Every structure is written in C-alpha cells, then in structure tokens.
Amino acid sequence: MAPNIKIPATKYPVERFTLGNGLRVVLSPDRSAPVVGVAVVYDVGIRSEPEGRTGFAHLFEHLMFQGSENLEKLAHFRHVQGAGGSFNGSTHLDYTDYFEVLPSGALERALFLEADRMRGPRLTEENLRNQVDVVKEEIRVNVLNRPYGGFPWLKLPPVMFETFPNAHDGYGSFTDLESATVEDAQSFFDRYYACGNAVLSVAGDFDVAEATAMIERHFSDVPARPAPVLPDFAEPDLTGERRESYTDRIAPLPAIAGGWRVPDPIATFDDYLPFVVLAEVLTDGDASRLVERLVQRDRTATSLGGYIGFMGDEYQVRNPTALLLQAHMPPGGDAAKVLQTVDEELDRLAADGLKPGELARTQARMATRALNETDSVLGRALPMAVLELQRGRPGLLNDLPKLISEVRDEQIVAAAATLRPERRASVEVIPGAST
Amino acid sequence: MTKTLPDLIPDAPLNLPPEAERTLPNGLTVIAIRRSSVPLVEVRLRIPFGRAPLAPATLLSQALFTGTSTLSSIDIAAELQAVGGGLAAGLDPDRLQISGNALAGGLDRTLELLAGVLTDATYPTEEVATERERLVDHIQVALSQPAHLARVALLKRMFGDHPYAVQTPAPDAIRPVDSGALRDLHASRVRPDGAVLVLVGDIDPEQAILSAEKILGGWTGAAADGLVPPVPELKPGALLLVDRPGSVQSSMRLALPALPRTHPDYAALNLANMVFGGYFSSRWVENIREDKGYTYGPHSGIEHFVAGSSLLAAAEVATEVTGPALLETLYELGRIASLAPGEEELEQARRYALGTLRLGMSTQGGLAGLASMYAGFGLRLNHLPEYSAALAAATREDVAAAAAEHLAPSRAVTVVLGDADKIESQLAALTSVERAAVERSTE
C-alpha cells in the first residue's frame, strides 16, 4: 500500500452580505474560466407542502419558469439560452433551487431574470393546467413507466416516518396535482417565497464590486417580506424494526433498501459527519466492505449503494434524515438474507474495527469526489447557497475535504454500532415482470 | 413599471488551455492538458474496438479490473482509492474507453495500476463468473426500460445488418463467454496502437507525458483491424410500432441523416437541429411541452460514430396524445425543412451553441471528455475555434439548406414503443404503420 496521500483543500473566496430587504447574498469569485453560475434557493421544499397538495412544491417550481412581471411565458428560457447559458431548478425535501450557468458577460441578465421572478411569477390558470400536464409526464417517465421508479426515495419514507411532512410522496398524486389552484400557488408564494427566506449566490468569473452593484440594482427593490417560522419536522426514532414490500409490475428482479436515522446534520454536524464517511466505507467501490461481501463473495447482490439523505444531498438536508443502503439482487434473491448479512458486517465493524488503511483510502476518494464537484461554477454556487441558507456557513464547502479526512476510526466504529436492526426501516421490491 | 433586460457583454476570444502531445513508440498517443482549477487529474483512455465481438467485448469492459498476476480486484480498487482514484471501463461500437480521476499527486500511481491491467489482466475464473451474472442481470433490467427497448428497435431499423445495429448483447450470448475468451480478446484488441490517452488537470503537461511514457511504454503489441464500414443510408418506410402492453407513455424516436463534425455544412446543420428541437427554447419543445403539455423532456441531437452520424429525436409522450404528438413533430420537421428560420431565432440558437462550448470547457471533466471525444475523430482542441467560427458565420440560407437536406420528415426512420392497442389507430391516421412485438433477444 502506498503511503497516505495528502488531502488537498480548495480556497475559494467567500463574500457574504445581506441586502436591506433581507436577501442574503454569497459571492465566490474565480476568474480561471469565463463562465459564471447563479443560484437562488428558497427555504421551502417537499416537507412544507400542505396535506392534500402532495407534489405542490415541485409543481410550484415549474410555475416559477412560466413568466413574471417583465417576462412573458417562454422568455426566461429564451433569455438564458439566448445568452449561451443553461438553466434548471430542482425541488428537495428542505429547499428549492433555481440556477443558471452562463458565459460571464451574461451575469447581469441572469440577475435580472432571478430578481423579476422573486418579485412574483405570473400565475395563470392556463399555465397551471399546462404544467400539471408536464409534471404528470415527468412522473410517468421517472416513476410509473420505468422499473424501480421512485425506489427508494419515494418508497422508503412512508415506512420510516409517521408524520405527513416526512412520509408523503414528494412527486405527488395525480389527484392532488389536478386539484391545485392558482390561489394555492399565490398563497404558497406569499408564504414561502419571501426574499427574507432566500439566498442568492454567484460563483465564477466576475469582479466582486461590479457584481455587488448589479445585485443591488436588481434585487434591492424586491419588497421586504419576512421568512416564515422554520418548522420542526423531528420525529422519535423507531422502537422496532419495520419491513414492507411492494410489487413493481415492470421490474424484472428483486431489490431492497434499508435506512437508519442519523444525528441532526446541522445541530450536531460533528456527530453526523462520521455517518457520511461510514456510508462510503461500506459501499464505495469494489474494496468496500459490503460490496466485497455481498457482490463479490456471496453474490447475493448485483449492485449496492449507500448514502445519506433520501435525495443523496448529505450536506443539504435537515433533520430528520437517514443513512440508506440499497441493493439490487439476482433472480430469486433473498432480501432477508441481504439484511442479515448487512447486520453481520456492521457487527464485525463495530466489534473488530477498521483494517489498516481502510479509512484513509476511503477519505482520499471522498476528497476527490468533493473537489471534482466544486470544479464547476454551479458545483460551488448551489451548495454555497444552501450552506448559507441552512447553516450561515457557505465556506464549509472549502473545509469539507479536510473535515472528512479528520474523521477517526473510533468515530466510524461508534457510528456503525448504532445501525441496529431494531432501528431499521426497509422496503423490498418484488419483481412483477418476468425475465 | 416595465424594466429593461440588461445587455450582454460580448465574449472574450476563446482561450485554449496549455497542452502537450506525443505519440509513443508503442503507438499510444498521449495528450496532456493543464487546467489547475482543482488539485485533481482526469484520465480518459480510448482503445479502438470497432467490430469486436459484442458479447465478449461487453463482458471484457465489465471484467477488465478483476485482477492481474499480482493484484486481486479488491487490491486494485483499494490501491486506486488510496490516491483518491477510481477507474471504470465502458464500451461503445467504436471503442473501449477507460475513464476516471484521482488526486493530482496520485497520477503516477493511477497510471501504474492502469498499466498493470492493460498488460497483465488475468480475468480470474471466479471473478469473471460474478461479472457475467451481474451483466446478465443488468441487461435484464435494461430490457424492462422503455427508453432502452425503443433504442434497440431504432438501431435495428437504422442500421440493418451493419455492426452498429446491435449495441447490447443478448443475455444468452453472454452466458457462454468464459475467461479464456476474454484473455484472447484482450490479447488481440487491448493494444496501444491507435489508442489515445488524455490527461487533464492540475499537472505539468510535459511531465505528465514523461510519466505516461515511462509507465505505459511497456504496453505493446499490434492491434487487429477494427475498421468499421460506412453506415448504410437510412431507409424511411412505415412507422415501426413496437408493442409494450400496459405502457402509460409512448416512446417516440425519429432518426434522420446527419453530417460528421468535420463537414463544411456541419455547423449549419447543428444550428438547424437547435432551432428544431436541440435545446429547450426550440420550436419542438415549446410546441409539444410548453404549449400542449404532451411530454416532459423532448430532445433532438446529433449522434456521431466513427463510421457515420445521425440526428435522433426522442420524446416520451402520454399514451392518449401519441398521434397528436407525432403530428406536431412531423409539422415542426416539415416547417424547418421547408422555410428558412427567423433571424432572431437563429441568433438565439447560435449564441446558445457558442455559449455551451465555453461552458463545456470550463471544468477538468468537461475538457477531458471533449478532448478525448475529439481525438476519437482525429480532431484536437484547436478544432474549437474553427467550429466556433463556422457557427458564427452560418447564414439563414446555409441553415435552411442543411435543414432541407437533413430534417425533412420524409427522410425519417420512425419507431414508437407503447401500448399498441391504444395508439395504433392514432398513428395510422397519420402514416403507414407496421406493428412488431418487443424484441427482448437482441442478437
């Protein structure tokens, strides 16, 4: 084994300020490529949507692209792409993001577009009905017409959690989507899309003074509205194992996913981080514990993944969340056997500890992944915006490779010891299609 | 109060990153590019694999890292991880490609492990058996995915008996492939002659080439002839309707003739494709998604293989509007093929095409992918300014001519996969339809 490689760090500059109307701003200049990333994140997500309106946070995200005060329908797309850029948005459990990446000469245009919809989207019956249809097709593509659709991110939460915010289907039922009204959308905007509930972040090729002036020019007249009170979605931990299964009529082979609650990712970050590393120790690559055992040795699984957060966003999720393991199995695969083997391996890790070099090599690979993600301007603008929104700490992005490398063997062992079967929720996919 | 959209500041000239290139005595070309944004290095190795037998080649790509005479699969994975590295192999009809990255300080070690696999892969029986079963299972899952099944049917229709017609092996063709077959295939095709290694990252290009030469110089041997014959012309005929009972959407696919990247009219064709359906602000997307709500993500793009290029348009549409969605698709193709694009919509497409080139070059991974893909077609990064100039120069007339030649709906090969009992009459109202069952066995 080669001697331990030094884990490098990034030193992206971070400037923070707050406009008079309460909008928080993060700037991270880097002039090494002539491109710029702009992100606006709002502190509302799937967990905040009202009962009877499953899927509404995501539907509303679509409506934010349908025009605003100075922009007709289709104008947002055309202005971003006609500037040589790309755009998108995404809805998560705890936040919703909107972003553009563009040649740097288009920065002010992107800021104009974001400010315009922050003042208010054009909410019309026609656009709402059109986007309900589009979202239904999105759900058909990603969930209903494909094997393993929504597995496990939509299928495991109702097994693990009791309360509506944590347990419900974030893509939404067709009935709820079709029931959505323009009034619902207006009140959702009024309540959650306040500039005091948002962060604007810009990363890439710009001058800080010039960008600051542009931001003041376009955002300072967005009316000040306070952020709503942040809800607490906490639930008690499981008191006994939970196992469910369902038949996927398209899937040809069985699969299983299990999850365990982990410490609060924000309030107790130091306790949480070892679980992030543990997920990689267990599942990252052919030399990881569970891949070696389940895929290579026992052949009880054909592929295996482990991560934290139902949407894989371990540094951008609030409490409660979980460490997830998912395995696809060969024909006739035995889910109970896979879970039992996972328990054996966790026991072995908790009892015998790590092998020499096992943690260091996992940390080195995690550092590569983290650094690779920050190489794109959006890979900085987006996480910095969310880290500001949820923690007031955008610079955490620079610190992560080092913090990951400082996690110690005994912390991994202690984390593994908490992943007991009686704290686990799992869901099995029973194949409904013949092979 | 009406506010005014801010103007764009014009782009600075395109800046190419520093690079070095050398073809080693063993025939391997090494291209090393410096972009020091993060302390990593990206690795791409493309080995010509045209006309390789499909089932063994696919299994070889899955089993390449299962062992050498000195290291087990777990040793290889662990040693790579120790320098923050990871490598994986994949296959397309032209090439075997090995891709990955590592901490920049781990470049030499990563190349040593790569060299070990290239010169000394042993394909241990047990590990190959595991990978074989995994591959069969993965293909079973692919065969339950509508997008995959639609592509299988489309390729068959496009390419007939050309080697590109089948790109995924049937499970039954994989089951008999053993370690010996993989060792034979490795010996004849995993060779440096004609291969291209691209390294991009926080590296000194000259130094990186010296490292590659020292570490990979011992990889030798002549390659078998992998020349793929030119693709046949598309033969438009009846729409092929592939039945997938119970499908809640229809997968619509159209293939049209296209040009290679080096053709003088390629930039004009690419702009015509953009205006039609190549990006969100295109006519097709604005029509069938934003106006009619038939679909979530329609897209068209030009797919290049070494022996030929094609323009592919794809949309997953609601079952009940499959006919109307085809109608609008044929209308938009007919419109772009018959009438010159508007001045403004062409400028918008042009700026998008030029902008995305810059965005694509702005990361190590983007540069590595671009340089490796270009190299596969005999091009280098200096093609970027040439291509940018061609995009900037293409006129409405050029774009109209390229569209008339390539985007005419009468030239399309069309496949629709869906619940045939529910969609056949909708489609038959518009064109002649030939119905088929899903082909699960692909060879």
Side-chain angles (χ1 to χ4, degrees), chain A residues 262-263 268-282 308 315 323 349 354 359 362-363 366 403-404 406-416 418-419:
Chain A
V262 292
T268 58
F269 183 67
D270 293 347
D271 297 333
Y272 172 78
L273 193 59
F275 286 85
V276 179
V277 181
L278 171 62
E280 303 298 316
V281 167
L282 293 173
I308 292 191
Y315 304 116
L323 184 152
L349 178 55
L354 290 140
L359 179 57
T362 305
Q363 289 163 323
M366 288 179 77
L403 293 172
I404 288 166
E406 288 169 358
V407 170
R408 301 181 311 276
D409 281 31
E410 57 270 27
Q411 292 176 287
I412 300 295
V413 168
T418 70
L419 305 186

Side-chain angles (χ1 to χ4, degrees), chain B residues 340-357:
Chain B
E343 200 67 65
E344 193 144 325
E345 65 179 339
L346 176 57
E347 285 318 305
Q348 179 183 289
R350 193 194 312 277
R351 284 195 300 268
Y352 180 73
L354 289 167
T356 47
L357 287 181

Side-chain angles (χ1 to χ4, degrees), chain B residues 208-242:
Chain B
I209 286 181
L210 289 177
S211 289
E213 177 156 31
K214 184 167 67 101
I215 297 165
L216 289 162
W219 179 33
T220 54
D225 169 29
L227 197 67
V228 179
V231 299
E233 273 200 36
L234 294 179
K235 292 192 195 75
L239 178 152
L240 180 69
L241 170 58
V242 185

Side-chain angles (χ1 to χ4, degrees), chain A residues 252-253 331 434-435, chain B residues 135-145 171 175 440:
Chain A
L253 295 170
S434 59
T435 54
Chain B
L135 179 59
V136 165
D137 288 351
H138 288 156
I139 290 172
Q140 299 284 17
V141 170
L143 290 173
S144 66
Q145 289 162 344
R175 289 196 177 97
R440 290 191 184 277

Side-chain angles (χ1 to χ4, degrees), chain A residues 144-163:
Chain A
L144 302 174
N145 206 38
R146 72 178 336 155
Y148 314 103
F151 173 76
W153 78 280
L154 297 176
K155 305 296 185 182
L156 190 54
V159 183
M160 173 167 268
F161 294 112
E162 296 293 326
T163 64

